[in-house]
Amino acid sequence: MSTGGEKATGNTKTPADFLKSIRGRPVVVKLNSGVDYRGILACLDGYMNIAMEQTEEYVNGQLKNKYGDAFIRGNNVLYISTTKRTLADGA
């Protein structure tokens, strides 16, 4: 019987692996306030502070502002999402 505390074998990916893999790719960052920021993930740190490029701000699904670069403090981040690559994208 498995205790649930066992480490999985094989190609286990951690959240840190995911975050490293999406650097330089388009992402959506949703804040606790409900505002979305869409742009290119430039970098992030262990506190989830995020630097983005070509950033667009969406409030209630509508474009409100465009920024060249943006910095988002990690304690405001609800989640980071990216689109799944398809074969047409070269994945």
Side-chain angles (χ1 to χ4, degrees):
M1 181 176 215
S2 177
T3 61
E6 298 171 2
K7 194 166 189 174
T9 58
N11 291 336
T12 304
K13 289 202 174 197
T14 65
D17 294 332
F18 167 73
L19 293 172
K20 287 177 189 172
S21 73
I22 63 171
R23 189 174 299 149
R25 293 185 49 202
V27 295
V28 176
V29 178
K30 183 150 189 114
L31 304 187
N32 295 327
S33 65
V35 176
D36 290 351
Y37 288 90
R38 300 176 190 180
I40 308 298
L41 180 65
C43 63
L44 69 141
D45 65 12
Y47 295 102
M48 294 294 290
N49 295 319
I50 300 169
M52 297 176 69
E53 299 170 341
Q54 303 170 26
T55 310
E56 297 175 335
E57 179 183 43
Y58 289 83
V59 179
N60 297 324
Q62 295 195 354
L63 179 64
K64 290 294 179 184
N65 230 328
K66 289 187 177 186
Y67 307 103
D69 295 330
F71 180 81
I72 301 171
R73 187 172 168 171
N75 68 335
N76 295 313
V77 176
L78 183 62
Y79 66 77
I80 302 173
S81 175
T82 186
T83 57
K84 183 137 178 99
R85 286 197 237 176
T86 64
L87 292 176
D89 295 332

